[in-house]
Amino acid sequence: MAARPPLPPFNLETAVQKVRMAEDAWNSRDPERVALAYTPESRWRNRSEFFAGRAAIVTFLKRKWSQELEYRLIKELWAFHDNRIAVRFQYEYYDAAGAWFRAYGNEQWEFDPQGLMQRREASINDVRITEQQRKFRWAAGARPPDHPGLTALGL
């Protein structure tokens, strides 16, 4: 299996890089691309769902992005140690009824020696917002380099 640098153990620079790479992949809304960052047996907890494996990740993400429309995500490093990274994140989306939401969450990540995520645990809460309250307004895809992160946005 090909390595996914940066590899553990992480330092501040490589942990920040890993977080931004994950953010960019998720903002692509390409389930197959995202799944390649995880081990074939990767274990997930996402809210109240538990599953494992790349096929389950792809299925989950396809369902997620069919319901969370115009998804835009920002991740921020919270802490790191050896082969683990903790992030806080927020994302905005609207649902089929046109209601806008901002999701607030935390993730804990554990990586194998090849830099693939072998464990992901996510706790997430959704808060309804108005369209005018949105802060993530870039075009679909990766967040532009000059777009502020969570802390700079006061979030």
Side-chain angles (χ1 to χ4, degrees), residues 111-128:
F111 294 88
D112 75 1
Q114 299 302 310
L116 294 167
M117 197 181 301
Q118 60 191 11
R119 185 172 177 181
R120 174 187 176 266
E121 296 195 12
S123 298
I124 308 166
N125 298 300
D126 299 297
V127 175
R128 190 163 180 172

Side-chain angles (χ1 to χ4, degrees), residues 67 69 93-101 128-131 134:
Q67 298 168 353
L69 308 172
Y93 67 93
Y94 70 86
D95 65 13
W100 280 95
F101 295 87
R128 190 163 180 172
I129 61 173
T130 65
E131 198 282 333
R134 292 179 51 222

